[in-house]
Amino acid sequence: MTKAHIWLRAESKPLEERIALTPDVARKLLEAGFKITVEESPLSAIPAQEYQGIGCDIVPAHSWQQAPQDTIILGLKELSEDNWPLVHRHIHFAHVYKEQQGWQDVLRRFKTGKGELYDLEYLVDNNNRRVAAFGYWAGFAGAAVALKAFGKRQQLDSTAQTDQPVLDKLASMPSKQALVDDVAESLSPLARPPKVLVIGAKGRSGRGAVEMAKSVGAEVTQWDMAETQVGGPFEDILDFDVLVNCVFVQEALPPFITLPMLETNGIEPRRLAIICDVSCDPYGTYNPLPIYASCTTFDKPCLRIIEGAIPST
């Protein structure tokens, strides 16, 4: 007897190569009596043929809208921005419960269609701990991009090429070690290792960021609840080269840093050069880094927030 029908949809977000269900786990679900349908996707890191080989049904991308109403639609990131009602049960990161941009429209679609949302960010066990989180690798990759950007910016500043983009388009890497080697190469011309501050260092993403920074020889300082409980802003942040914010925010907090703090006074150069916001909630009211109003992309991974000199290496 089939327990339930799980439909693994193709992601709509550009360059999203991750996938919410691996063939190994899909095989276990099939053996347990689930029916699994997998959409073809030109973006997915795992080709549909690997699922077909173990007994999953393969269908065209974005065809889940025609799935039977009792089907569970599984994905990772947000759905495309349409307005038709959602009638299925959905499992993914919806990015709505912190009142992010467009949250009302998304929830209205569920209400109108009488569908249900099981948001991966808020699924917890009996101990109230999250059961589905990609935080470690988010922190690891975020810190990698930040450190690569720091190395590139130092080189551009030293040659007065301040009009050049700090980083070109990002691409996936074949392995963890390949990413570490790539970042280490970017930092190799520098005269000193960068000073990195990771806020939320004891969480999943924080641990990933710390490991990445240490793996390339950065000087890492770790802040968590004990260091931030007094409330910001924190002037000490300006003493670091790179800030990586990995705090899982569930309520409004005093800002960690503000735009006026980043302004140079014309006498002392600002040391802080790169800010990586792994938590990334610029459109919500809970954002502890209210210094930017739009997100970066894989095509344009760096956003200049404010002008100002930094020490040469």
Side-chain angles (χ1 to χ4, degrees):
M1 178 178 178
T2 302
K3 290 185 176 180
H5 184 185
I6 299 175
W7 190 294
L8 183 62
R9 62 174 171 84
E11 297 296 327
S12 318
K13 199 164 187 176
L15 302 177
E16 180 56 81
E17 298 181 22
R18 298 175 300 173
I19 195 164
L21 182 67
T22 63
D24 288 345
V25 177
R27 187 194 304 274
K28 294 178 181 178
L29 290 172
L30 289 169
E31 293 172 350
F34 289 85
K35 178 181 179 180
I36 299 179
T37 297
V38 177
E39 291 187 355
E40 296 176 322
S41 172
L43 298 179
S44 174
I46 304 176
Q49 289 76 10
E50 294 193 26
Y51 297 90
Q52 188 174 32
I54 61 174
C56 298
D57 295 331
I58 307 300
V59 296
H62 313 306
S63 58
W64 60 266
Q65 300 168 34
Q66 286 74 50
Q69 190 168 334
D70 61 351
T71 304
I72 299 172
I73 310 301
L74 174 63
L76 278 182
K77 304 303 292 184
E78 308 96 315
L79 298 171
S80 58
E81 295 180 0
D82 294 293
N83 56 14
W84 37 267
L86 296 169
V87 301
H88 299 95
R89 287 174 289 174
H90 284 261
I91 303 175
H92 62 270
F93 287 102
H95 300 293
V96 294
Y97 291 114
K98 298 175 186 175
E99 300 184 0
Q100 292 96 327
Q101 187 178 38
W103 69 275
Q104 292 172 312
D105 294 333
V106 175
L107 293 182
R108 187 179 297 113
R109 294 176 66 190
F110 278 101
K111 184 176 181 179
T112 302
K114 297 183 180 180
E116 297 181 3
L117 170 63
Y118 298 86
D119 197 300
L120 287 170
E121 189 173 8
Y122 294 94
L123 295 181
V124 297
D125 60 18
N126 292 332
N127 296 317
N128 205 38
R129 288 190 58 83
R130 294 174 65 187
V131 298
F134 297 85
Y136 174 86
W137 293 110
F140 195 95
V145 174
L147 287 163
K148 187 176 177 68
F150 177 76
K152 179 68 178 298
R153 177 170 172 179
Q154 293 289 303
Q155 297 174 50
L156 291 174
D157 284 351
S158 66
T159 56
Q161 300 181 63
T162 55
D163 59 335
Q164 299 295 315
V166 176
L167 286 181
D168 296 323
K169 179 179 177 180
L170 297 179
S172 59
M173 303 294 288
S175 67
K176 173 182 176 180
Q177 189 58 50
L179 178 59
V180 171
D181 293 343
D182 183 59
V183 174
E185 182 179 356
S186 299
L187 298 175
S188 61
L190 305 186
R192 59 171 177 81
K195 289 184 62 177
V196 178
L197 172 62
V198 178
I199 304 182
K202 293 183 179 179
R204 288 186 177 92
S205 58
R207 291 197 296 270
V210 169
E211 180 180 338
M212 175 68 238
K214 287 185 175 180
S215 68
V216 294
E219 181 183 331
V220 185
T221 297
Q222 303 178 45
W223 285 8
D224 210 79
M225 293 180 65
E227 291 79 11
T228 59
Q229 64 181 352
V230 296
F234 302 104
E235 291 284 346
D236 290 350
I237 291 176
L238 301 178
D239 295 332
F240 295 88
D241 298 303
V242 177
L243 165 64
V244 184
N245 175 44
C246 297
V247 173
F248 177 55
V249 180
Q250 301 187 73
E251 60 183 359
L253 298 174
F256 295 156
I257 197 168
T258 64
L259 277 175
M261 292 171 61
L262 297 176
E263 296 175 354
T264 58
N265 58 18
I267 300 175
E268 295 182 3
R270 168 170 36 82
R271 179 163 192 165
L272 183 64
I274 301 294
I275 298 172
C276 173
D277 191 4
V278 175
S279 300
C280 191
D281 192 14
Y283 308 122
T285 57
Y286 294 174
N287 182 19
L289 295 178
I291 55 176
Y292 66 106
S294 61
C295 290
T296 57
T297 65
F298 285 97
D299 289 338
K300 296 181 179 179
C302 294
L303 172 68
R304 185 173 291 280
I305 296 173
I306 194 168
E307 299 294 337
I310 59 173
S312 60
T313 50

